[in-house]
Amino acid sequence: MALTGVLRPGHAQVRVLDLEESVRFYRDVLGLVETGRDAEGRVYFKCWDERDHNSYVIRQADRAGIDFFGFKVLDKATLDQLDADLQAYGLATERIPAGEMLETGERVRFTLPSGHVMELYADKTSIGNGLAEVNPAPWGPQREHGIAPVRLDHALLYGPNVAEVQKIFTEVLGFYLVERVLTPDGEGNVAIWLSCSHKVHDIAFAEYPEPGKLHHCSFLMESWEQVLRAGDIMSMNLVPVDIGPTRHGVTRGCTIYAWDPSGNRFETFMGGYQPYPDYGPLTWTFDNFGQGLDYPQRKLHETFLTVVS
Ligand code: M3P
Ligand code: FE
């Protein structure tokens, strides 16, 4: 098997200002599947075609933003090895016991120099996608409720020390650099897109003075038509849209950025290409950042640089 180590983005825990309003938004407008609530009051969701119990967890708080972002790794031996590797690299790690999140095994938690809390875990209960495992239908009723993305695809996080973050992902966690936007002097990167798979990004970072900020969590749609339909559903529900529908030059992803009721940006997205680890990174110069963000309009939208949660 070629896919080992870190498999994929597994979960994000995001803060919301009004829990029940947010549940209605994520369940009925974004069309996630509610899978549970815990004693702390957190509400758990998954996308319809994900099999593990949860991928997006919300918690009520007095400010929006992201608590942590977690990656699923192949197995327990991989988890222990990556924990040791992170410590050998000089990062402090912490073990969160199994069951602290519903249906989720032990997690290894660490904080990046960008201020973001990351987690690795090997186990989360598979509850399936509602379709049979023998002679399955291609989709079921859950795909028809709200926007209904197929999976949590990636996140873009804003914070300081992106060069150090890149080293941790590429030298310890087995990711590779897919694309980057250079600083105006061309000496460093203002933003990086990293993959642990055949996807164009599993996580991305942009340089920003304040640590630990969320730019967006991204949800995968199956087609451009489904992205446009997502835009229709956003407008029917008066969801504030930030950018799009359009195409990013970076990653070639077709996108809409919009905000949840608490001001957490999310993305409905499809497309891109399929990179391999032996491809060198694609580079965007700072003067083409606008094309990187919004290829048709060639516009470096102000909100992209300044609005985070
Ligand atoms: C993405 C994404 C740039 C933004 C690109 C964004 C270059 O690829 O998935 O959100 O500004
Ligand atoms: Fe994105």
Side-chain angles (χ1 to χ4, degrees), residues 154-156 193 201 204 215-218 248 251 255 257 267 269:
H154 64 269
L156 171 57
W193 286 260
H201 49 347
H215 189 277
H216 66 268
C217 288
S218 185
H248 297 303
T251 74
T255 176
Y257 286 156
E267 176 178 44
F269 148 93

Side-chain angles (χ1 to χ4, degrees), residues 8 12 17 39 47 56 69 85 101-102 116 135 147 149 167 184-185 192 205 209 214 242 275 281 286 289 304:
R8 60 173 178 271
L17 304 179
C47 301
Y56 197 80
F69 193 79
D85 293 348
M101 277 177 72
L102 290 183
H116 297 98
N135 305 327
I147 290 171
K167 273 172 68 76
D185 66 7
I192 57 172
F205 291 88
L214 172 64
D242 178 19
F286 192 81
F289 203 162
F304 180 81

Side-chain angles (χ1 to χ4, degrees), residues 214-230:
L214 172 64
H215 189 277
H216 66 268
C217 288
S218 185
F219 295 93
L220 183 71
M221 306 304 303
E222 292 165 283
S223 68
W224 175 230
E225 195 168 359
Q226 287 280 315
V227 175
L228 296 177
R229 177 179 172 277

